[in-house]
Amino acid sequence: MKEKSLPKYARLKKEILNWLETGKLGPNDQVPSENEMAERFGFSRQTVRQTLGELEREGRLYRIQGKGTFVSESSRIERGREARSIGLVTTYISNYIFPHIVRGVEAAVRARGYRLMLTSTDNDKGRERESLSMLVSQPLSGLIIEPTKSAEGNPNLAYFLALNNQRIPYVMINASYPEISCPSLVIDDEEGGYAAALHLLQLGHRRIAGFFKSDDLQGVLRLKGFLRAHQKAGCSLHPDFVVAYRTEEKASKPIEDAARLLGRPDGERPTALVCYNDELALQLLEAVRKAGLTVPQDVSVVGFDDSSLATASEVKLTTLAHPKAKMGEDAASMLFEMIESGGATVPESKRYKPELIVRESTRRM
C-alpha cells in the first residue's frame, strides 16, 4: 500500500515507530506533545491522540498524568545471547555469485548455533531501507550487510546509526559506505581492473574497451584500475572505449554499445573487452558472435568473479577470482569475534587479492 493511501493515524504511527526503531527515541524518552505533532505533521489533535492511544495500548508508550507521553521500557528490543540471530543483507540472493556467499555465511552461523535471517535489496536503496528497518526491529545479535549502489551515497544512514545506538555489531561485504566505521571484507577491485587490462596489454592488445557499472564502488574501482594500467603502459585510450552503465541499464546499454563498437571496420574496432563481471562477459560473447566475429581469434574477453558462468559457455572465460563462500565464512567469523567480545574487539578489515585465471577467451595479438 502506498504511503499516502494509508489513513492519517497509520502514517503517524509508522513515523513514531520509525523513531523507536532508529533510536531517535529510546526507553523513557518523552514523545513530542499532541500540539507539537499536530503542528509538525499537519494532522488534527484527534488524529494524534488516536495514534498515541493505540501505541499506548500496544505497550509501546505510557502516559504520566500532567507530564506527557513516554517511550515504554518494553519497546526496547532485548539483545544478547538469547537472540542468537544473525541478519544478512545482500543485493541479490538466488543468482550469480550470491548463493555461494550466502552458503558461506550460513555454514558458519549454524556451526555457532545461531539462525540466519536473510533479506535482499535487489540493488534498490528503498529496498535496503525496508530490509534494515525490518532487521533493527528484531532481536538481532549481529548483521552482515552488502551496501546497495555503494557509489551513490547512503540515504539510509539513520538505520546504521540505529544499529550503533542499539549496540548491534555489523560488518560490510563487497563494498563499504565511506562514512561508516565498521570492519569490511572486500576484494581489491582496483587491482583486479588493473590485472585484467595489464594481461591484455601484455598480449599486445592496444584497442581495449572496458565496460563498468557506475553505481557501485566495485565498478568504479575496477574502472580506476583499468585506466591505471593504460596510463602505466603509456597506451592511449579512446573515450568511446570506456562504457559506464547503471544497474537499470545492464540489460541494454553495454550490449548496445558493444555492438556499435564491434561494428566498426577492422583496425578501428576493439580487439579486447574487459567486463565488469562474468555475467556481462557472457552477454558480450553473444554480441561478438552477432557481429560476425569470434572469441578469441578476433576479440579477447576478460570477465570478473570466476563465477560458474565463466566455464558455462563454449568459450571458457579468462577472469578474476572472487572469494565468494570464503568471504561469507570470514564475514561471519569476524562478526562473531565482535559479538563474543561485547564490542570490545573490532577486527581489522580484510582485502582479498584477486587472482587472474587465464582460460580460452584471451590470446596474443
Side-chain angles (χ1 to χ4, degrees):
M1 182 179 291
K2 293 184 178 179
E3 183 78 18
K4 289 187 177 179
S5 67
L6 291 171
K8 289 181 178 179
Y9 85 90
R11 283 153 53 194
L12 180 58
K13 179 180 179 180
K14 186 175 180 181
E15 180 65 24
I16 295 172
L17 288 174
N18 177 261
W19 294 348
L20 305 185
E21 290 172 359
T22 60
K24 186 174 181 180
L25 288 177
N28 301 313
D29 285 347
Q30 186 168 7
V31 176
S33 69
E34 291 181 5
N35 285 336
E36 288 171 330
M37 284 201 278
E39 185 175 346
R40 180 186 301 186
F41 296 103
F43 296 155
S44 68
R45 284 189 63 187
Q46 177 59 35
T47 297
V48 175
R49 191 174 298 118
Q50 178 186 359
T51 306
L52 295 179
E54 185 167 316
L55 289 168
E56 189 177 354
R57 287 190 296 275
E58 292 175 2
R60 299 275 192 163
L61 305 177
Y62 65 91
R63 191 184 302 272
I64 298 178
Q65 189 67 33
K67 291 189 175 182
T69 302
F70 299 82
V71 178
S72 172
E73 278 283 346
S74 63
S75 69
R76 186 198 304 270
I77 300 296
E78 293 299 327
R79 313 288 173 187
R81 292 188 177 275
E82 67 276 12
R84 302 192 72 80
S85 296
I86 300 298
L88 174 59
V89 181
T90 56
T91 50
Y92 302 101
I93 293 176
S94 59
N95 61 344
Y96 198 49
I97 63 172
F98 297 98
H100 300 281
I101 297 174
V102 171
R103 282 198 291 270
V105 173
E106 187 174 32
V109 166
R110 286 188 174 179
R112 298 288 190 112
Y114 285 69
R115 70 187 182 104
L116 184 65
M117 301 176 65
L118 181 60
T119 181
S120 70
T121 68
D122 291 327
N123 216 30
D124 177 87
K125 293 285 192 184
R127 290 286 301 276
E128 180 186 65
R129 181 173 60 253
E130 292 170 6
S131 294
L132 292 171
S133 175
M134 180 272 290
L135 287 169
V136 298
S137 68
Q138 303 296 317
L140 205 62
S141 303
L143 189 59
I144 298 170
I145 305 165
E146 181 189 22
T148 291
K149 292 188 176 180
S150 51
E152 295 193 343
N154 179 13
N156 299 320
L157 178 61
Y159 291 95
F160 292 96
L161 296 179
L163 292 170
N164 294 342
N165 292 339
Q166 296 179 26
R167 297 184 179 179
I168 302 173
Y170 56 93
V171 301
M172 294 188 183
I173 59 172
N174 284 328
S176 63
Y177 290 123
E179 72 276 21
I180 302 292
S181 294
C182 75
S184 62
L185 302 94
V186 300
I187 193 166
D188 192 334
D189 289 295
E190 182 179 343
E191 183 60 30
Y194 178 86
L198 180 63
H199 169 64
L200 293 167
L201 289 164
Q202 289 176 338
L203 290 176
H205 293 274
R206 291 298 179 267
R207 297 194 306 278
I208 308 171
F211 297 76
F212 300 96
K213 216 154 150 292
S214 62
D215 53 8
D216 64 44
L217 289 172
Q218 296 98 304
V220 172
L221 291 170
R222 290 172 192 182
L223 170 58
K224 184 177 180 181
F226 176 82
L227 297 177
R228 181 162 61 88
H230 280 80
Q231 291 165 353
K232 189 170 182 179
C235 179
S236 60
L237 187 61
H238 195 285
D240 281 357
F241 280 20
V242 176
V243 176
Y245 64 96
R246 301 181 72 253
T247 298
E248 293 78 9
E249 301 171 314
K250 70 178 185 178
S252 56
K253 188 176 189 301
I255 293 90
E256 291 167 2
D257 284 2
R260 175 178 53 79
L261 292 173
L262 293 168
R264 292 179 176 180
D266 189 18
E268 295 181 20
R269 65 174 176 253
T271 63
L273 311 177
V274 171
C275 305
Y276 166 75
N277 62 14
D278 296 339
E279 185 177 40
L280 178 62
L282 240 62
Q283 293 175 307
L284 296 194
L285 286 178
E286 183 60 26
V288 171
R289 293 190 190 99
K290 286 184 177 179
L293 304 171
T294 58
V295 175
Q297 287 77 13
D298 299 306
V299 184
S300 289
V301 177
V302 179
F304 206 113
D305 294 330
D306 193 28
S307 68
S308 59
L309 298 177
T311 54
S313 173
E314 183 178 325
V315 179
K316 313 307 179 191
L317 282 175
T318 294
T319 187
L320 281 300
H322 185 292
K324 299 187 260 316
K326 172 67 172 168
M327 177 182 280
E329 293 168 8
D330 290 347
S333 296
M334 190 178 287
L335 184 61
F336 283 124
E337 188 177 346
M338 298 170 72
I339 292 170
E340 290 167 3
S341 72
T345 299
V346 180
E348 291 290 327
S349 293
K350 189 175 182 66
R351 188 182 299 272
Y352 303 89
K353 183 177 180 180
E355 175 193 356
L356 179 69
I357 300 173
V358 179
R359 295 195 179 99
E360 304 165 4
S361 65
T362 55
R363 70 186 287 265
R364 186 170 295 279
M365 282 290 292

